[in-house]
């Protein structure tokens, strides 16, 4: 086996293209010794969901073809087929294709959203279910970061984010979140991808096919609202554009300099228009809360991966998003 190239992987895993006699494969590995809960166990949870969805939607989801132990490193790995010429959507949209091409890509993504949503489960998305999700993925990570005593900035009630003053999310009454989703039910749970970001959607060179990778099965509630917020994480809140850039942190605030490609902005306009068309106001506000949680839930991963500047930046972004949310 030869390693052909390294790919960008998660904070607690590595991803590369490997060549064996039978062809090219994408191999994702995780350390078996450190951070097992967020690395090894999560990787094989992803593997199970990826294969489950590949059986139901073989046209969209790539199955995991092999798992094993790398004897040289001691790491565990999973392998998927390598799709020659396919690029993730952040890469494709960052090339600023014509608007008609962006619209074609958006239609492919919309079809996946709608087909997954047609597969309803028995359980309902109740306020009690949402209480559990937001307690685990928003309230507790905020408390975790503040207790970690990463930076004096976290002790300030107000700081600046990208030049604008915001109130520190840790000083908000997050126990009142449930007041924003008190209708009896938001419908049934459905099948979801679980980590529906631009990086996890691959598009073919002719833009006629998409494949989905890196599913996630630990969202407490299997909600299309969560999937939709993960797209917005990249298109409205610019995670994909900001993740690799240098974060500037001082005693007053947090900032980062990056550019948002025109293709991303156009895709976001189409997504926002679609959500306004198919969802009511309460559903869209729930998605806004889910969007905030995408940046709080990553805080433990950022810290355990050694990226405390990233943790501070995305905590500040969550603070800014929450301020906008409650002002509307």
């Amino acid at each position: 086996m030869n390693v052909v190239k390294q790919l960008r992987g998660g904070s607690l895993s590595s991803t590369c293209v490997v060549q064996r006699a039978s062809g090219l494969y994408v191999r994702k590995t995780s350390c078996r010794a450190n951070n097992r809960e967020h690395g090894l166990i999560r990787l094989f949870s992803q593997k199970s969901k990826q294969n489950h969805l590949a059986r139901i939607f073989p046209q969209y989801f790539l199955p995991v073809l092999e798992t094993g132990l790398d004897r040289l490193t001691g790491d565990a790995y999973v392998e998927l087929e390598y799709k020659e010429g396919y690029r993730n959507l952040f890469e494709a949209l960052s090339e600023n294709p014509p608007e008609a091409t962006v619209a074609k890509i958006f239609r492919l993504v919309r079809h996946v959203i709608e087909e997954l949503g047609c597969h309803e489960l028995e359980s309902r998305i109740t306020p009690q279910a949402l209480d559990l999700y937001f307690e685990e993925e928003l309230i507790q990570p905020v408390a975790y970061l503040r207790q970690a005593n990463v930076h004096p900035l976290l002790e300030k009630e107000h700081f600046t984010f990208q030049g604008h003053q915001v109130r520190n999310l840790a000083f908000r009454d997050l126990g009142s979140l449930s007041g924003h989703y008190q209708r009896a039910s938001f419908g049934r749970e459905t099948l979801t991808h679980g980590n529906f970001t631009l990086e996890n959607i691959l598009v073919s060179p002719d833009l006629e096919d998409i494949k989905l990778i890196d599913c996630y099965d630990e969202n407490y509630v299997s909600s299309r609202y969560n999937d939709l917020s993960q797209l917005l994480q990249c298109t409205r809140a610019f995670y994909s554009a900001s993740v690799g850039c240098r974060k500037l942190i001082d005693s007053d605030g947090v900032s980062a300099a990056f550019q948002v490609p025109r293709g991303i902005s156009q895709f976001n306009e189409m997504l926002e228009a679609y959500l306004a068309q198919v969802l009511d106001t309460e559903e869209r506000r729930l998605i806004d809360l889910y969007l905030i949680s995408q940046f709080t839930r990553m805080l433990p991963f950022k810290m355990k991966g050694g990226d405390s500047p990233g943790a501070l930046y995305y905590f500040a972004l969550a603070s800014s998003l929450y301020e906008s949310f409650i002002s509307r």
Side-chain angles (χ1 to χ4, degrees):
M1 181 198 79
N2 295 317
V3 175
V4 176
K5 62 179 174 179
Q6 293 289 332
L7 302 175
R8 192 170 81 178
S11 57
L12 294 174
S13 63
S14 63
T15 308
C16 62
V17 178
V18 299
Q19 184 166 33
R20 293 191 274 108
S22 53
L24 294 174
Y25 301 87
V26 175
R27 173 175 286 203
K28 188 171 183 179
T29 65
S30 179
C31 177
R32 295 167 48 242
N34 302 319
N35 293 316
R36 287 175 60 89
E37 178 185 355
H38 294 106
L40 178 71
I41 294 172
R42 189 149 290 172
L43 176 63
F44 282 87
S45 173
Q46 289 178 317
K47 173 229 172 184
S48 296
K49 182 162 187 174
Q50 187 81 30
N51 278 342
H52 174 66
L53 291 174
R55 291 293 300 272
I56 302 171
F57 302 104
Q59 72 274 35
Y60 295 133
F61 290 86
L62 290 172
V64 174
L65 301 176
E66 182 174 314
T67 65
L69 174 67
D70 187 325
R71 291 292 181 183
L72 292 176
T73 65
D75 293 339
Y77 69 84
V78 300
E79 287 185 1
L80 297 83
E81 176 188 359
Y82 176 69
K83 301 293 289 185
E84 186 69 46
Y86 280 61
R87 295 172 297 162
N88 71 55
L89 283 196
F90 178 70
E91 294 171 338
L93 294 171
S94 292
E95 294 182 353
N96 296 325
E99 188 169 357
T101 300
V102 178
K104 183 176 183 179
I105 292 172
F106 177 75
R107 285 193 295 270
L108 290 173
V109 174
R110 188 191 68 203
H111 290 326
V112 174
I113 293 168
E114 292 174 351
E115 287 198 45
L116 284 169
C118 287
H119 287 252
E120 292 188 337
L121 309 177
E122 289 301 316
S123 51
R124 291 190 170 275
I125 305 171
T126 63
Q128 293 78 18
L130 294 171
D131 283 346
L132 173 62
Y133 172 85
F134 286 112
E135 176 68 30
E136 291 291 328
E137 302 289 32
L138 199 160
I139 296 173
Q140 288 195 18
V142 168
Y144 166 85
L145 185 65
R146 191 172 185 189
Q147 291 166 7
N149 197 27
V150 179
H151 194 278
L153 194 68
L154 295 174
E155 300 305 316
K156 290 189 172 185
E157 186 170 354
H158 295 86
F159 50 72
T160 62
F161 173 71
Q162 298 292 66
H164 300 282
Q165 188 175 75
V166 298
R167 190 179 181 196
N168 186 335
L169 190 59
F171 284 82
R172 298 285 188 180
D173 177 18
L174 298 180
S176 65
L177 279 181
S178 60
H180 298 292
Y181 48 80
Q182 277 306 305
R183 77 191 204 183
S185 172
F186 284 87
R188 294 188 184 277
E189 295 186 53
T190 65
L191 293 181
T192 60
H193 178 285
N195 194 15
F196 201 51
T197 63
L198 294 180
E199 289 87 349
N200 291 335
I201 305 170
L202 310 180
V203 64
S204 63
D206 61 6
L207 306 179
E208 297 291 341
D209 180 46
I210 59 175
K211 299 298 182 192
L212 306 179
I213 58 172
D214 283 355
C215 299
Y216 192 77
D217 202 25
E218 299 170 33
N219 288 313
Y220 301 97
V221 185
S222 186
S223 162
R224 63 177 176 147
Y225 306 115
N226 199 352
D227 267 10
L228 290 166
S229 77
Q230 289 161 350
L231 276 180
L232 291 171
Q233 173 186 348
C234 301
T235 65
R236 184 199 290 175
F238 313 134
Y239 177 74
S240 303
S242 66
V243 67
C245 70
R246 182 168 173 253
K247 313 302 188 294
L248 303 175
I249 301 167
D250 58 31
S251 59
D252 296 316
V254 183
S255 64
F258 57 88
Q259 291 187 328
V260 180
R262 186 184 72 250
I264 300 290
S265 298
Q266 290 173 339
F267 186 95
N268 186 66
E269 290 172 6
M270 296 171 193
L271 176 58
E272 301 274 14
Y274 171 72
L275 297 181
Q277 178 184 359
V278 301
L279 301 178
D280 63 34
T281 301
E282 287 183 85
E283 290 175 307
R284 295 199 302 274
R285 281 183 65 78
L286 179 58
I287 288 175
D288 289 345
L289 271 182
Y290 265 117
L291 173 59
I292 296 164
S293 78
Q294 303 308 332
F295 295 101
T296 56
R297 69 189 307 193
M298 69 174 63
L299 299 178
F301 295 96
K302 293 289 182 184
M303 293 297 296
K304 290 176 181 178
D307 184 14
S308 56
L312 284 168
Y313 179 85
Y314 292 113
F315 172 76
L317 173 55
S319 297
S320 177
L321 290 170
Y322 189 78
E323 186 150 295
S324 298
F325 174 79
I326 63 171
S327 69
R328 292 196 297 272

